[in-house]
Amino acid sequence: MTTVDAAAANSDPTAQVDALVAEVVPGVRAPTVRRCDVVVVTGPWLAGVSSMVSVLTERLPRRLVMEAAELTPGEVPLAVVFVVSAAAALTESDCALLDAVAAHTDVVIGVVSKIDAHRHWRQMQAVARQTLAEYAPRYRGVPWVGAAAAPQRGVPHVDDVVGELVDQLEGGDSDRRNRLRSWEFQLRTDADRVDHDARAHGRRTRVMQLQEQRDEVVRQRRMSKSERAIALRSRIAQARVQLSHFARKRCSSVRSELAEDAAGMSRRRFAEFETYVHDRLGAVVAEVDQGVTDHLADVAQELGLSIDPGAGQAAPSPQLDIGRPPLASRRLETQLMAVLGVGFGLGVALTLSRIFAHLAPELAAIGVAGCAGVGVAATVWVVRIRGLLRDRVVLDRWVGEATNGVRLVAQERVGLRVVAAESALTAELAGRNETEAARAASRVAALDRELHEHAAATARAVAVRERQLPGLRLALAKVRAELGESDPVGAAVAADE
Ligand SMILES: Nc1nc2c(ncn2[C@@H]2O[C@H](COP(=O)(O)OP(=O)(O)O)[C@@H](O)[C@H]2O)c(=O)[nH]1
Ligand SMILES: [Mg+2]
């Protein structure tokens, strides 16, 4: 520092205060506000602020007087005139208003206005003084005066305000006090911020939220995986039971229908019946196949999967080989039947001829011929009926065997298709599980990243606090001591140092 600078510093109270703080804690951030040569008037709504501004402007032509709102951000006044009405008691929110305007200004003058209209203004002033002092210790020394800037009658009375302002601004060490106050505010704000950052209340809530989200993602993932596997297993088992029951039922109902048909079949329609049986059994197999397709599609949909419901049907329907009814191979039996039939016919013919011989001997020749004819007819009839009945039995047996075969085929088909569907669904489920696992993992990773960032930020903030807070507190204690205020926290820190 040159001699000229040193001299300037000695004479400039602001520089003196800055040097004082720098001496206690070098490198601490100085207040950046711009001190304007302005007196600011503030106060609650309708307290008489505007009236006070206009009167003071007249009475103090060498000073700029304005309302707080007219200052631009970053500008701070030389002095603050706090106007409260004698008509209303001072409230805490009014005090907060003053606090905002006078954060960097130590020169504060309390004014109770409208004293011309309120005779008990002194009581209101005492109350205002007490309320403000209780609001913050710094306001304990604020001088209070009464004024009437716009009285209903007579001339304005603001002499005490003007006198107090002149005293404070010209007589005292207002520049020094204002700078100290500015420092006090700045140091307090910085200390609070550094401490607040390190305590990180907001961050702690967020970290808790993140941890809860993370746990939830992991839990959901585990649950949905096992739940889906269990659901798939049980639905497939159900499908297997239901579908083979369906196949069995279809076959047995077709079998009883066909048996009924066979029982009333005439020999002429045998060939037709054979084709009919083929068609019916083919239709049953197709029906069962369709049932399986539909059922498996339902299962897939229920599980939220999308296998091709026709999967497994791609295998062509099995060729039904139910053979033909063994109607032809009956030579021996026919021979036997012919012999028996002939015997029976002969018996009938002989019996009839005996009867006719007794009844009308003269018609013996015709009787013999007739009896022979009846005997032959009886023989033919017996042989035919016996043949038809036997064929029906054969047909019925054939139908039974054919439906049995078809039942086995249908059941086997159900089994194969369910197995195929199960493996397709399981594969798809595994794929889906994998996709979900990947998604969950990336979500968890993102949460972990954020958690890590928070942890790092908290650690940084704690380090900043450890580095900066003692110095800030020390400087604050010094500034407060200069302002004549006690500072328990700062004093303790200062004692420790
Ligand atoms: N009787 C009386 N009325 C006043 C006085 N000062 C202001 N008023 C009245 O109080 C009301 C509000 O005044 P104003 O200066 O606009 O207050 P502001 O809202 O705080 O700016 C107006 O009706 C003024 O006439 C005063 O000293 N005596
Ligand atoms: Mg106004």
Side-chain angles (χ1 to χ4, degrees):
M1 201 182 272
T2 65
T3 328
V4 179
D5 285 346
N10 281 340
S11 62
D12 178 7
T14 303
Q16 279 174 2
V17 171
D18 291 358
L20 187 84
V21 176
E23 197 178 295
V24 179
V25 186
V28 72
R29 187 167 73 103
T32 52
V33 290
R34 195 155 59 81
R35 181 81 51 196
C36 298
D37 196 2
V38 167
V39 173
V40 155
V41 182
T42 190
W45 177 245
L46 289 182
V49 171
S50 300
S51 312
M52 184 62 73
V53 167
S54 65
V55 176
L56 287 182
T57 305
E58 264 176 44
R59 295 288 301 273
L60 297 167
R62 289 194 297 121
R63 297 236 174 240
L64 206 56
V65 182
M66 55 173 69
E67 291 192 33
E70 292 170 54
L71 283 178
T72 55
E75 288 181 339
V76 292
L78 285 183
V80 176
V81 175
F82 184 45
V83 178
V84 300
S85 168
L90 186 64
T91 65
E92 218 168 275
S93 62
D94 300 337
C95 299
L97 190 74
L98 171 64
D99 231 14
V101 178
H104 290 271
T105 306
D106 195 60
V107 179
V108 175
I109 294 162
V111 177
V112 175
S113 72
K114 309 185 189 180
I115 59 172
D116 60 304
H118 300 279
R119 284 197 297 130
H120 302 298
W121 68 271
R122 285 186 195 283
Q123 276 106 305
M124 296 310 281
Q125 176 178 298
V127 171
R129 185 198 298 279
Q130 193 185 344
T131 307
L132 191 61
E134 277 166 10
Y135 180 75
R138 66 164 284 201
Y139 298 121
R140 278 182 201 146
V142 167
W144 282 89
V145 294
Q152 278 157 357
R153 275 191 300 276
V155 292
H157 170 75
V158 294
D159 296 349
D160 293 348
V161 183
V162 172
E164 196 60 52
L165 264 176
V166 170
D167 272 6
Q168 299 258 351
L169 291 179
E170 284 165 21
D173 53 351
S174 60
D175 288 342
R176 182 169 176 282
R177 275 170 50 209
N178 278 343
R179 186 62 179 172
L180 282 169
R181 179 58 61 200
S182 196
W183 267 107
E184 196 265 351
F185 179 77
Q186 168 90 28
L187 291 168
R188 180 158 45 90
T189 311
D190 283 355
D192 285 352
R193 180 176 45 76
V194 164
D195 193 41
H196 181 266
D197 285 356
R199 284 181 200 278
H201 287 298
R203 182 172 295 131
R204 222 176 299 161
T205 316
R206 177 72 187 140
V207 163
M208 258 161 62
Q209 259 179 5
L210 289 171
Q211 258 153 3
E212 272 166 23
Q213 279 176 18
R214 187 188 191 284
D215 293 349
E216 184 60 21
V217 168
V218 173
R219 199 180 63 83
Q220 278 282 348
R221 158 91 204 92
R222 224 181 7 238
M223 278 216 352
S224 72
K225 189 176 164 188
S226 62
E227 268 171 12
R228 274 210 212 103
I230 290 169
L232 173 64
R233 254 203 314 275
S234 86
R235 290 299 286 118
I236 286 291
Q238 248 176 9
R240 186 172 287 127
V241 172
Q242 284 170 342
L243 287 171
S244 52
H245 176 71
F246 171 63
R248 252 194 334 269
K249 227 177 75 184
R250 277 311 289 130
C251 289
S252 74
S253 79
V254 164
R255 197 236 175 285
S256 48
E257 276 171 43
L258 292 176
E260 216 167 280
D261 293 347
M265 199 48 50
S266 67
R267 183 163 280 149
R268 256 179 295 117
R269 291 174 49 216
F270 275 4
E272 194 187 315
F273 182 66
E274 203 183 311
T275 328
Y276 173 68
V277 169
H278 263 106
D279 293 351
R280 280 301 303 272
L281 294 182
V284 165
V285 171
E287 209 177 303
V288 169
D289 231 20
Q290 188 56 45
V292 172
T293 302
D294 294 348
H295 196 98
L296 291 179
D298 285 352
V299 170
Q301 198 191 354
E302 254 175 60
L303 296 171
L305 300 171
S306 60
I307 56 151
D308 176 11
Q313 207 183 31
S317 300
Q319 281 297 314
L320 275 185
D321 184 17
I322 54 175
R324 308 196 53 201
L327 295 171
S329 60
R330 52 178 199 170
R331 211 159 60 89
L332 250 177
E333 202 178 330
T334 313
Q335 284 168 357
L336 179 64
M337 268 322 294
V339 171
L340 289 176
V342 167
F344 178 71
L346 220 57
V348 169
L350 277 177
T351 310
L352 280 177
S353 67
R354 286 269 174 95
I355 293 168
F356 275 111
H358 283 294
L359 286 181
E362 65 278 10
L363 299 175
I366 302 167
V368 168
C371 290
V374 170
V376 168
T379 303
V380 170
W381 183 79
V382 165
V383 170
R384 275 182 65 88
I385 287 298
R386 178 67 194 96
L388 177 64
L389 291 179
R390 181 212 161 263
D391 283 351
R392 283 181 181 170
V393 169
V394 169
L395 268 189
D396 184 64
R397 202 177 306 138
W398 173 67
V399 162
E401 279 165 12
T403 42
N404 230 4
V406 166
R407 181 171 56 78
L408 291 179
V409 167
Q411 277 182 323
E412 185 189 331
R413 202 144 167 74
V414 164
L416 286 174
R417 289 198 54 195
V418 170
V419 166
E422 183 175 14
S423 67
L425 287 172
T426 308
E428 192 184 343
L429 196 65
R432 175 164 302 193
N433 281 340
E434 227 162 85
T435 319
E436 268 183 21
R439 201 178 304 144
S442 87
R443 178 89 187 98
V444 166
L447 290 169
D448 281 346
R449 234 179 354 259
E450 200 181 330
L451 280 168
H452 183 76
E453 277 162 20
H454 281 300
T458 305
R460 272 198 305 276
V462 168
V464 167
R465 177 173 67 179
E466 273 169 20
R467 204 169 52 242
Q468 296 185 354
L469 198 59
L472 290 171
R473 287 208 171 132
L474 205 61
L476 197 55
K478 179 76 180 166
V479 167
R480 283 182 177 163
E482 288 293 318
L483 281 166
E485 288 169 10
S486 63
D487 175 27
V489 179
V493 173
D496 287 351
E497 309 287 315

